[in-house]
Amino acid sequence: MNTSDNSFPPSGPRPAANAGGNLDLLSLHGGDILAQARKYGRRAADFIDFSSNTHVFAEDVTARLIRETPVAYAIYPDSDCTALVGAISAHEELDPGRVLVGNGSADLIWLFMTAMAPRKVLLLGPMFSEYARVCVAFGIPYEVITPPPEQEFICGSSELRRIWDSDADLAVVCCPNNPAAVAYPNIQELFGVLRVPRVLVDNTYREFLWGEPEYSQNSYVAYSKWVRSGVALFTMNSFTKFYACPGIRLGYLLGGESQIRRLARIRPPWSVSSFAQDMGLAFLANMAEYRERLAPMRMERVDMARQTRRMECFNPDFVFEGPSFITAGLLPGLSSASLREKLLEQGLIVRDCDSIPGMPSGFIRFQVRFHRDNELLMKSLGWYAERGW
């Protein structure tokens, strides 16, 4: 690779490297467009965010629903989120007593871990860093078991045996996985080796599977048929990704009625705003329109993956198509952190996956956006692939 040609793109200021400890490292998430704007002294509008994984193709639907929804600011919210719980229970085909609504999945993760107080946590990697972060904050030991990318991050006999042998009392599984981009075709077998007392499945990306065989295999109802006898099952869900609303903090947890009551008793009052509750109702009522936008997103995803596999800097065998994103492994010796910073100079934000618990080094993740945005990213990636960074 020729690293001497610096005629394009123009250079600019580089953000300082993260020098924090474990909690600082685990606090890194995608969607940090405001933080990057402050670092570079630019406007948020000067950046294109490929790191947040939202359903960009449905952003106009969300914008319209927001305009149509009045803000009930004069009274306190319904702490029980009664109407929204009813809508969610209908969508999930469960009794309302099994539903707990929260101020986003991060809020529910901290509430859940506080209430469950696990002795040790097993994370099926790679895993959303908030789970490891709360373990570090509470002093809870955790282990991460990650199938290798050569297996497309799917559990083989070795990983299944390690899961079977685990002495954890809580296991967390993300399905579909972010950033590994796998929906675990052997998920029934996986539940068969989870002997821990409690299992939490993060279903944040489940709705992106609509119309595909994996959709019916990934829900609380489906898992409850496979979970081992005596194991308490929970699922975590977020409105953020599928409904393209990261600024509206809204998520929900599903579980047994007694466990949900226990969590509800220690939840702070009025934790979910009236506006967020009303928007949740609007999102679910317009589900069909959101699902219609999946087809063009999937076409763009296929095209982005094809172009990525052809670039000199990526291992074509390690380019994975996720529900709303692409995860790509760089060739040995190349730095995902360096590539991310170079792209930031061009106003393009991607996710450096090195800080994600259990993720092998050298992977980046980028969201599937509209064609014009995707072409800008592909052009920059291609330029650096030929010249280095």
Side-chain angles (χ1 to χ4, degrees), residues 14-29:
R14 297 166 66 106
N18 187 296
N22 288 339
L23 279 176
D24 289 333
L25 181 62
L26 292 170
S27 294
L28 296 174
H29 298 303

Side-chain angles (χ1 to χ4, degrees), residues 86-281:
I88 291 170
S89 67
H91 175 64
E92 295 286 351
E93 300 179 335
L94 289 170
D95 294 334
R98 292 179 174 270
V99 180
L100 181 73
V101 178
N103 185 31
S105 59
D107 172 68
L108 287 168
I109 290 169
W110 284 77
L111 176 68
F112 179 82
M113 297 293 272
T114 300
M116 296 296 121
R119 175 183 47 79
K120 181 179 178 181
V121 177
L122 165 65
L123 303 176
L124 181 57
M127 176 59 63
F128 177 42
S129 60
E130 203 62 27
Y131 292 101
R133 183 170 183 266
V134 70
C135 287
V136 172
F138 290 163
I140 302 169
Y142 69 93
E143 63 175 326
V144 184
I145 296 176
T146 303
E150 290 83 1
Q151 296 175 193
E152 299 181 343
F153 296 103
I154 299 169
C155 290
S157 58
S158 175
E159 293 78 32
L160 292 172
R161 179 65 198 217
R162 290 177 61 195
I163 293 169
W164 174 270
D165 291 338
S166 174
D167 61 348
D169 57 345
L170 169 65
V172 182
V173 179
C174 179
C175 190
N177 188 286
N178 162 41
V182 59
Y184 300 115
N186 59 343
I187 192 164
Q188 185 172 352
E189 185 179 16
L190 175 60
F191 272 104
V193 299
L194 282 166
R195 298 191 296 170
V196 297
R198 292 161 292 187
V199 175
L200 171 63
V201 185
D202 191 319
N203 279 162
T204 292
Y205 290 90
R206 177 198 172 209
E207 293 302 332
F208 286 100
L209 297 177
W210 173 255
E212 300 178 351
E214 293 86 357
Y215 184 80
S216 62
Q217 299 170 6
N218 286 282
S219 69
Y220 185 93
V221 172
Y223 302 150
S224 63
K225 299 174 184 177
W226 305 328
V227 70
R228 296 176 67 87
S229 176
V231 174
L233 172 68
F234 302 87
T235 62
M236 185 77 67
N237 301 266
S238 171
F239 282 79
T240 299
K241 306 301 183 184
F242 191 68
Y243 302 103
C245 62
I248 300 174
R249 306 307 304 148
L250 189 62
Y252 61 94
L253 185 74
L254 305 176
E257 292 192 23
S258 61
Q259 292 97 337
I260 293 298
R261 283 196 301 270
R262 176 183 174 190
L263 288 160
R265 282 196 295 268
I266 66 171
R267 177 184 54 181
W270 314 305
S271 59
V272 183
S273 71
S274 297
F275 182 70
Q277 294 181 46
D278 290 341
M279 287 309 305
L281 289 168

Side-chain angles (χ1 to χ4, degrees), residues 333-362:
L334 301 179
S335 166
S336 54
S338 296
L339 177 56
R340 179 178 185 270
E341 290 191 10
K342 283 294 185 182
L343 291 173
L344 277 169
E345 294 171 6
Q346 310 312 311
L348 306 174
I349 306 176
V350 300
R351 182 68 158 96
D352 168 12
C353 296
D354 281 1
S355 64
I356 297 176
M359 191 66 180
S361 63

Side-chain angles (χ1 to χ4, degrees), residues 279-321:
M279 287 309 305
L281 289 168
F283 294 148
L284 292 172
N286 290 271
M287 173 71 81
E289 197 168 359
Y290 283 91
R291 288 171 172 170
E292 288 172 359
R293 306 301 178 89
L294 287 172
M297 185 275 289
R298 290 167 177 169
M299 290 177 63
E300 284 293 326
R301 183 183 64 194
V302 169
D303 185 56
M304 291 181 79
R306 176 184 56 80
Q307 293 189 59
T308 304
R309 291 188 180 99
R310 292 178 175 177
M311 292 183 189
E312 294 181 16
C313 59
F314 293 106
N315 181 341
D317 295 328
F318 289 174
V319 176
F320 305 108
E321 297 182 39

